[in-house]
C-alpha cells in the first residue's frame, strides 16, 4: 500500500542532488522490514513512497522478536560465526549471496555479475539486523542511501561483548589518565563471560560470600533464560542440567552466558523495581555524533520487591514480556511511566539538583559505552543506529547500565506508548533529514537533543546555571525526561532553517 505521489512544497523545484547527497526533486523511496509503528510513520510521511511491487518483509529471514512486539537484545547475527549457530538464511528477497561489491558500478550494469535487486531502488531502508548481516558485506550503496544498523552493532548490543569493550576502555583510561578517571566507568555491575571466565568468576564469588548474582544468556532477549542465585551449587546443577543439553544441535560449544552481580538495592517506587528505557541515536561513529531523546519510559515490575524470593521473575525482571504474564497484571494500567513522570517524581522527592546529577550519570553511560566501541564499529556514512538503553537506578539514585538494544521494541503497548514511538521515529527521520529541510547545525530536532559531536555539546548560551562557587557555567545539551514540545519546536525549526537557507 503506497502513499500518493504528491510532493510537498519544500521538495518542489529543487535540483536532483544537493551537496549532501540528498534527493530534492522527487519522492523518497523507502523499504521497511518491520510491521509496526515504524511502518505507520514511513507511510504517513509526506513525500515518502514505499518501494512498489516488492515484499518489504524479507520472506526467508527468521522472525525478529521485535516484529512480534517484543523486546530483544542485539543478538549477534548468526553468520558472524560467534554465536555458534549455523546460518540457514541464504539470501532474502533482495539479497543475493555472491554479489560483487563494486562502488563504481550501479546495480546490474556489469554483465555476468549477479544483480542485487532493489539496491538502487530505495533511498531509505529500515531493515532488520539479520538482513543487514546477510547483505551488507556485498552491498553497494549510493551516496545518498540511508540504512538502519551498523554492520557490527553487536559489539555493543551483545551482553558479553558490551562488557568486554567497556572493561577494555576502562583499563586504557586508567593507564593513560589514572585510576580516578577510571571510576567514571563504574556504571556496569561486575560481569564475567561464561564459560570462558568461569574460574575468575569463582574466585570473585568466593571473595563475596552471600551476595546475589544474575545469570543471563548473552544473546537472548525478553528475560529468557535468566535466573538469580546465591550459591555456587545452583550453577553447578545448571551447568550439568540446562546448560549441557544444548538447545541448538548445530552448536558445538556451550551457549555463552554472562554472570553479573545483581543490584540488590534498586530504587523502588511504590515498593516496586523499575528500569528506564532511554533512546539514543548515533548518526556517525567517526566523528562520534550522538542524539539523546527526551522521552522514554520506566518499566515497573508488577510485584513488590523483596530479596526473599530470588527465583520469582515477576519481582526481579522488569521486562514487559515477563511482567505481562504476571497473575495480577492489569493490561489497562500496564506497568509503565513516562520518563517525564519519573523525573518529576524524583525531583519532588529528592530535589532538582540530585536528579540532575543522576541524569548526568546516564549521559556518562551513553558516551562512555559508545566510545568503548568507537574504533571497532565499522563506520559507514550510510548507516545509523537507534539504540534502546536499559538503565536501572539504585537506592542512591546511581544509574547502572543493564544492556543496550539495537532493535528496541517499536510496537506500541497502548495509546501513550504509540504516541511516544510515533513521535520518536518521525524525529529520527527529521534528524536524518533526507528531505534536506534543515541546516545541519541544529542542536535540537523535535525530541532529540544533540549530546555529543566529537565532544560534548553545551546548551545554548541562554541556558546558564549557577555553580556552587558562584560562577556560571553552560549546561550540557541533555534534557532526558524534560518537557518534549516536539511539534512546536519542529514548526519553529523548519521556519528558521528555511529563512537561513534562503539568505
Ligand atoms: P534481556 O535482554 O533478556 O531483557 P536484561 O539484561 O535486560 O536481559 O535483563 C532483564 C531484566 O533483568 C532487566 O530489565 C532488569 O530488570 C533485570 N536485571 C538484569 N540485570 C540485572 C542486574 N545486574 N541487577 C538487577 N537487575 C537486573
Amino acid at each position: 500500500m503506497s502513499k500518493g505521489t504528491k510532493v510537498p512544497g519544500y521538495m518542489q523545484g529543487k535540483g536532483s542532488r544537493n551537496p549532501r547527497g540528498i534527493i530534492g526533486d522527487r519522492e523518497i523511496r523507502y523499504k521497511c522490514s518491520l510491521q509496526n509503528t515504524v511502518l505507520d510513520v514511513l507511510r504517513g510521511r509526506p513525500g515518502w513512497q514505499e518501494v512498489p511491487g516488492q515484499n518489504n518483509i524479507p520472506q526467508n529471514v527468521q522472525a525478529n522478536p521485535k516484529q512480534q512486539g517484543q523486546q530483544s537484545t542485539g543478538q549477534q547475527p548468526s553468520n558472524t560465526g560467534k554465536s555458534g549457530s549455523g546460518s540457514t538464511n541464504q539470501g532474502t528477497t533482495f539479497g543475493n549471496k555472491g554479489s560483487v561489491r563494486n562502488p563504481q558500478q550501479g546495480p546490474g550494469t556489469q554483465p555476468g555479475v549477479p544483480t542485487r535487486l532493489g539496491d538502487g531502488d530505495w533511498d531509505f531502508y529500515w531493515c532488520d539486523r539479520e538482513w543487514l548481516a546477510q547483505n551488507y558485506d556485498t552491498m553497494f550503496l549510493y551516496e545518498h542511501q540511508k540504512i538502519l544498523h551498523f554492520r557490527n552493532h553487536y559489539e555493543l548490543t551483545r551482553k558479553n561483548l558490551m562488557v568486554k569493550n567497556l572493561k577494555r576502555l576502562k583499563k586504557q583510561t586508567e593507564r593513560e589518565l589514572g585510576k580516578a578517571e577510571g571510576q567514571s566507568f563504574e556504571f556496569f555491575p561486575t560481569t564475567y563471560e561464561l564459560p570462558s571466565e568461569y574460574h575468575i568468576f569463582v574466585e570473585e564469588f568466593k571473595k563475596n560470600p552471600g551476595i546475589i548474582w544474575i545469570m543471563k544468556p548473552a544473546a537472548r532477549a525478553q528475560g529468557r533464560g535468566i535466573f538469580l542465585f546465591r550459591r555456587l551449587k545452583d550453577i553447578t546443577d545448571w551447568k550439568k542440567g540446562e546448560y549441557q543439553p544444548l538447545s541448538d544441535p548445530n552448536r558445538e560449544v556451550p551457549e555463552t552466558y554472562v554472570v553479573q552481580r545483581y543490584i540488590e538495592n534498586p530504587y523502588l517506587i511504590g515498593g516496586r523495581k523499575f528500569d528506564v528505557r532511554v533512546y539514543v541515536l548515533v548518526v556517525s561513529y567517526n566523528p562520534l555524533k550522538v542524539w539523546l531523546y527526551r522521552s522514554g519510559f520506566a518499566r515497573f515490575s508488577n510485584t513488590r520487591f523483596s530479596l526473599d524470593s530470588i527465583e520469582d521473575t515477576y519481582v526481579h525482571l522488569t521486562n514487559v514480556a515477563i511482567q505481562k504474564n504476571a497473575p495480577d497484571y492489569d493490561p489497562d494500567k500496564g506497568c509503565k511511566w513516562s520518563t517525564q513522570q519519573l523525573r518529576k517524581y524524583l525531583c519532588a522527592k529528592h530535589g532538582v539538583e540530585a536528579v540532575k546529577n543522576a541524569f548526568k550519570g546516564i549521559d556518562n553511560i551513553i558516551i562512555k559505552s559508545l566510545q568503548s566501541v568507537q574504533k571497532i564499529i565499522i563506520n559507514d556514512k550510510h548507516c545509523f543506529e537507534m539504540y534502546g538503553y536499559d538503565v536501572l537506578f539504585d537506592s542512591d539514585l546511581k544509574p547502572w547500565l543493564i544492556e543496550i538494544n539495537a532493535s528496541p521494541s517499536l510496537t506500541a503497548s497502548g495509546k501513550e506508548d504509540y504516541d511516544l514511538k510515533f513521535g520518536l521515529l518521525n524525529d529520527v527521520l527529521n534528524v536524518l533529514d533526507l528531505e534536506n529541510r534543515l541546516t545541519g547545525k541544529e542542536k535540537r530536532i523535535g525530541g532529540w537533543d544533540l549530546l555529543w559531536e566529537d565532544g560534548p555539546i553545551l546548551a545554548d548560551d541562554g541556558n546558564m546555571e549557577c555553580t556552587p562557587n558562584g560562577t556560571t557555567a553552560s549546561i550540557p545539551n541533555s534534557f532526558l525526561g524534560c518537557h518534549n514540545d516536539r511539534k512546536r519546536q519542529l514548526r519553529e525549526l523548519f521556519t528558521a532553517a528555511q529563512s537561513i537557507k534562503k539568505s
Side-chain angles (χ1 to χ4, degrees):
M1 207 209 304
S2 299
K3 286 184 51 55
T5 50
K6 194 163 166 278
V7 175
Y10 62 81
M11 287 173 64
Q12 285 167 3
K14 301 217 180 139
S16 59
R17 296 264 166 88
N18 65 41
R20 287 161 65 201
I22 296 166
I23 322 101
D25 61 350
R26 59 165 170 80
E27 77 281 1
I28 291 163
R29 297 163 306 188
Y30 67 86
K31 293 204 309 181
C32 181
S33 296
L34 304 184
Q35 278 183 308
N36 53 29
T37 321
V38 69
L39 194 55
D40 291 350
V41 167
L42 290 165
R43 285 181 175 165
R45 196 149 171 109
W48 285 51
Q49 176 98 42
E50 204 166 333
V51 174
Q54 303 208 39
N55 175 11
N56 281 345
I57 316 278
Q59 284 167 335
N60 54 351
V61 173
Q62 264 193 344
N64 179 350
K66 293 301 177 210
Q67 292 167 22
Q68 297 157 10
Q70 311 291 350
Q71 171 160 332
S72 111
T73 59
Q75 189 167 353
Q76 191 167 353
S78 53
N79 68 343
T80 61
K82 289 189 188 165
S83 71
S85 61
S87 169
T88 52
N89 186 11
Q90 298 293 315
T92 67
T93 314
F94 309 105
N96 200 345
K97 264 198 179 284
S99 303
V100 174
R101 186 172 197 199
N102 180 354
Q104 267 73 54
Q105 174 209 337
T109 56
Q110 186 179 332
V113 174
T115 306
R116 310 193 112 276
L117 289 176
D119 270 2
D121 292 348
W122 51 270
D123 306 308
F124 180 88
Y125 192 2
W126 194 282
C127 71
D128 57 38
R129 291 165 292 150
E130 291 78 5
W131 190 91
L132 195 87
Q134 290 291 315
N135 295 281
Y136 180 86
D137 296 339
T138 54
M139 191 162 65
F140 161 77
L141 289 173
Y142 287 107
E143 176 76 10
H144 67 282
Q145 284 179 300
K146 284 276 175 204
I147 188 161
L148 179 67
H149 301 307
F150 288 89
R151 169 67 180 91
N152 53 346
H153 59 79
Y154 47 81
E155 289 287 349
L156 198 56
T157 56
R158 204 177 133 122
K159 294 176 180 72
N160 56 330
L161 297 180
M162 176 187 89
V163 170
K164 196 165 143 189
N165 287 317
L166 280 169
K167 281 182 182 173
R168 195 193 43 244
L169 186 60
K170 181 178 183 210
K171 260 195 200 141
Q172 186 191 331
T173 306
E174 284 174 346
R175 225 178 20 246
E176 290 171 6
L177 303 171
K179 283 259 175 216
E181 266 307 303
Q183 279 176 6
S184 62
F185 282 85
E186 278 168 17
F187 54 75
F188 58 99
T190 306
T191 307
Y192 300 98
E193 181 187 281
L194 299 185
S196 62
E197 296 179 321
Y198 182 75
H199 295 291
I200 321 175
F201 160 66
V202 171
E203 268 173 43
E204 186 67 19
F205 180 94
K206 288 180 178 162
K207 276 192 225 155
N208 300 282
I211 70 164
I212 301 174
W213 295 84
I214 184 167
M215 184 74 85
K216 312 194 259 190
R220 284 198 249 168
Q222 301 162 10
R224 276 189 292 239
I226 297 183
F227 65 94
L228 276 61
F229 64 95
R230 273 203 181 93
R231 300 168 310 173
L232 262 190
K233 179 179 163 294
D234 298 333
I235 58 165
T236 317
D237 292 349
W238 159 80
K239 271 170 75 189
K240 283 192 206 134
E242 193 189 322
Y243 191 51
Q244 281 308 324
L246 301 160
S247 49
D248 182 349
N250 297 321
R251 201 192 293 276
E252 284 161 14
V253 291
E255 182 176 358
T256 303
Y257 274 70
V258 294
V259 61
Q260 186 169 77
R261 191 167 175 161
Y262 186 68
I263 296 161
E264 295 185 34
N265 62 330
Y267 190 97
L268 304 179
I269 296 180
R272 285 160 175 81
K273 172 180 173 175
F274 63 91
D275 69 358
V276 188
R277 168 54 53 85
V278 179
Y279 294 104
V280 172
L281 177 66
V282 176
V283 291
S284 160
Y285 267 95
N286 188 19
L288 185 61
K289 188 167 183 183
V290 186
W291 297 80
L292 170 61
Y293 205 66
R294 294 177 170 220
S295 304
F297 50 85
R299 304 177 301 181
F300 284 83
S301 94
N302 208 44
T303 315
R304 289 180 79 82
F305 185 76
S306 151
L307 291 176
D308 296 341
S309 48
I310 62 168
E311 64 293 331
D312 188 343
T313 49
Y314 298 134
V315 174
H316 297 284
L317 310 190
T318 50
N319 307 66
V320 176
I322 299 276
Q323 294 299 328
K324 69 181 181 194
N325 296 319
D328 47 353
Y329 177 74
D330 177 351
D332 294 329
K333 271 188 12 211
C335 43
K336 283 183 179 172
W337 267 17
S338 73
T339 314
Q340 277 76 12
Q341 239 174 314
L342 176 70
R343 187 161 185 155
K344 222 183 249 173
Y345 174 92
L346 294 175
C347 282
K349 200 123 198 213
H350 303 278
V352 173
E353 274 316 302
V355 175
K356 221 184 250 178
N357 269 336
F359 279 57
K360 247 185 211 166
I362 298 183
D363 296 349
N364 180 56
I365 289 176
I366 294 167
I367 296 307
K368 294 277 190 318
S369 58
L370 295 171
Q371 285 176 330
S372 78
V373 295
Q374 197 184 352
K375 293 199 176 112
I376 299 172
I377 296 283
I378 299 164
N379 189 53
D380 181 336
K381 65 179 177 186
H382 301 101
C383 302
F384 66 98
E385 197 78 70
M386 190 187 75
Y387 295 107
Y389 276 64
D390 291 343
V391 173
L392 188 101
F393 284 113
D394 69 16
S395 52
D396 301 321
L397 265 189
K398 173 183 160 70
W400 292 88
L401 174 60
I402 300 298
E403 75 157 340
I404 305 171
N405 298 283
S407 305
S409 169
L410 298 175
T411 302
S413 57
K415 162 96 175 76
E416 203 178 320
D417 201 37
Y418 185 84
D419 291 346
L420 161 70
K421 285 167 180 165
F422 196 85
L424 167 81
L425 293 164
N426 250 312
D427 287 348
V428 169
L429 304 184
N430 290 331
V431 170
L432 296 175
D433 193 26
L434 271 76
E435 294 99 338
N436 191 28
R437 289 184 285 181
L438 299 174
T439 63
K441 295 198 166 62
E442 290 76 11
K443 282 188 188 174
R444 179 181 170 193
I445 300 175
W448 291 107
D449 296 294
L450 184 59
L451 185 63
W452 190 272
E453 186 172 10
D454 213 12
I457 300 293
L458 299 177
D460 288 331
D461 293 343
N463 287 319
M464 303 291 268
E465 64 174 8
C466 289
T467 60
N469 60 13
T471 56
T472 53
S474 293
I475 59 167
N477 196 44
S478 165
F479 299 94
L480 179 63
C482 296
H483 184 49
N484 187 359
D485 52 345
R486 54 176 293 278
K487 285 187 183 160
R488 184 200 55 77
Q489 197 271 346
L490 285 169
R491 266 197 309 275
E492 290 174 8
L493 189 70
F494 288 134
T495 312
Q498 240 170 12
S499 61
I500 291 170
K501 288 171 116 184
K502 267 188 206 149
S503 63

